[in-house]
Amino acid sequence: MAGACGPVAFAAVLVVVSTHTAMNLGGPPAAAWYAVAAGVVALLLPAATELLARAPWWVLPVLVVACLGTLTTVFVVGVPPADDLVLGVGSDRANALDVALGELAAGRYPYAATTYLGNPITPLPGALVLAAPFRFLLGSAAWQNVAWTALLLPLLHGGWRLRPGPTLVWLLTVAGGLEVWREFLIGDDLVAGTVPALAAAVWTLRTARPDGGSVRLLTAAAVALGVATCTRPHLALVVAIVAVAVGLRAGRRRGLLVGGVAGLVWLVLIVPFLLGGLARFSPLHVAAKVTDERGLSVGIVVIGLAAALLLAAALWWLRPASEVAVAWCAAAVLVAPSLLSLARALVETGAVWSADLTLGAVAVPIAAWAVVAGAEVGADAASGEDPVALAA
């Protein structure tokens, strides 16, 4: 890979969202050692990629099969019963999806129920759509972790042919992230559940051709983008970033089409659940991850408006049209809630060790994509190709 900035930034995302997990494993020393190890691995990633490129052809498939086999075994053996605690952290995200889908199947309002820990249901309706096949065919929504983690591999490669760089980034993502492992062990969906959104974003960008392209395909991609991002509130910002990129690549009308269709999908999915009143729509309580108040408090509205204005200014200045630019912009806005929580903990307590920074874990797959896309542009530049034209 060309340069270490991308891998180091990716490692920083892993470290931030894994801090709480590291603390539960061994306190501040474990968190510090993990940060150092992640940084060292990131710095060695370019050299490791070159070394792996000279290895026999069978090495990459063996690494991938071994990793997928280990992950699947850990999932099957390690996902605990609902009343267990793992790594010192209780989780009910998978249970929330199972409960909500069970309520829907019974014809009841899903967001009136609670999880086994007594917490409200926080995933948005798009998460229910994505999890439904796994819940009703395999018995648990947590099975989507296996499917989406496997999907991330060809997504990073842009196909099924294994290459050293994307393979190592995938391995670092699924095997080197403490939070990724924790989520796999207990069935959380923050990391793996972002992979469909990433796939939809890639599809949308590659369908938006400067020479026109099919409006029908672009509309279908926008619908997929709307469904796949309607899982967590801050993924709405990814829709805005992708729509701007499409506008820069294929014209303003195509950008408005993507943003409008994806936004309409959000409305179609959410509005029916709002008819009973905002107080019943429990996903709004996730605001407490950033502020102390649940729901549409003044604090979260101000933060949301400020974030929207900052994003608009950043997009106007950066004009992200390439996949690399889109990926890093999206990763930055998705990890922002964790960084806000980090800053808040520093201001209030002077320490960050007890802060739960996992909400930003949705940035991990997109940051991995950014590393791979950036490496490919760097390789094209080194070979004499025009990286701007290829990236766009």
Side-chain angles (χ1 to χ4, degrees):
M1 292 186 178
C5 291
V8 169
F10 176 48
V13 172
L14 285 177
V15 169
V16 169
V17 302
S18 298
T19 296
H20 195 63
T21 305
M23 283 295 297
N24 280 288
L25 285 173
W33 277 111
Y34 175 71
V36 171
V40 170
V41 170
L43 291 173
L44 293 177
L45 196 58
T49 300
E50 294 179 7
L51 181 64
L52 195 57
R54 296 193 294 269
W57 68 269
W58 49 265
V59 172
L60 285 179
V62 167
L63 286 174
V64 169
V65 170
C67 186
L68 282 175
T70 302
L71 287 172
T72 305
T73 301
V74 167
F75 174 83
V76 173
V77 175
V79 173
D83 58 348
D84 280 358
L85 297 179
V86 178
L87 300 183
V89 182
S91 175
D92 55 356
R93 289 191 180 115
N95 180 252
L97 293 170
D98 289 339
V99 169
L101 288 168
E103 293 293 292
L104 270 178
R108 294 187 290 268
Y109 185 74
Y111 292 110
T114 58
T115 68
Y116 72 90
L117 291 177
N119 292 326
I121 308 296
T122 60
L124 291 173
L128 304 185
V129 173
L130 295 174
F134 302 96
R135 166 66 175 83
F136 295 118
L137 294 178
L138 299 176
S140 173
W143 275 102
Q144 68 178 326
N145 282 15
V146 177
W148 303 143
T149 300
L151 174 64
L152 181 61
L153 182 64
L155 195 58
L156 293 178
H157 283 82
W160 295 102
R161 184 175 68 86
L162 295 178
R163 291 176 288 128
T167 301
L168 283 178
V169 172
W170 179 79
L171 288 170
L172 179 59
T173 303
V174 302
L178 285 182
E179 177 59 17
V180 179
W181 266 102
R182 187 194 71 83
E183 291 203 2
F184 230 93
L185 194 63
I186 61 179
D188 273 5
D189 68 326
L190 283 178
V191 175
T194 310
V195 175
L198 172 58
V202 172
W203 182 23
T204 303
L205 290 171
R206 294 181 181 177
T207 305
R209 300 164 56 89
D211 59 355
S214 170
V215 174
R216 290 184 179 179
L217 277 178
L218 188 60
T219 302
V223 170
L225 182 67
V227 173
T229 55
C230 190
T231 57
R232 292 296 189 281
H234 54 318
L235 281 175
L237 300 176
V238 174
V239 174
I241 294 170
V242 172
V244 168
V246 170
L248 293 170
R249 294 160 72 105
R252 182 178 300 177
R253 290 185 178 180
R254 299 294 175 95
L256 291 173
L257 172 67
V258 168
V261 170
L264 181 61
V265 169
W266 271 65
L267 291 176
V268 169
L269 289 173
I270 292 176
V271 167
F273 296 106
L274 296 178
L275 297 179
L278 287 177
R280 299 185 69 201
F281 191 59
S282 54
L284 293 176
H285 106 288
V286 78
K289 287 281 187 177
V290 180
T291 68
D292 283 328
E293 300 174 271
R294 298 184 176 187
L296 292 177
S297 64
V298 174
I300 198 63
V301 170
V302 170
I303 289 174
L305 290 174
L309 290 174
L310 286 173
L311 178 61
L315 293 177
W316 180 82
W317 180 53
L318 295 172
R319 297 180 63 82
S322 69
E323 291 188 1
V324 181
V326 170
W328 282 121
C329 283
V333 300
L334 292 180
V335 81
S338 289
L339 296 178
L340 285 172
S341 297
L342 184 66
R344 180 166 166 253
L346 282 172
V347 170
E348 293 183 352
T349 67
V352 301
W353 305 117
S354 61
D356 185 356
L357 309 176
T358 58
L359 190 60
V362 293
V364 171
I366 296 180
W369 175 48
V371 173
V372 171
E376 290 176 351
V377 170
D380 291 330
S383 65
E385 300 286 353
D386 180 2
V388 175
L390 290 168

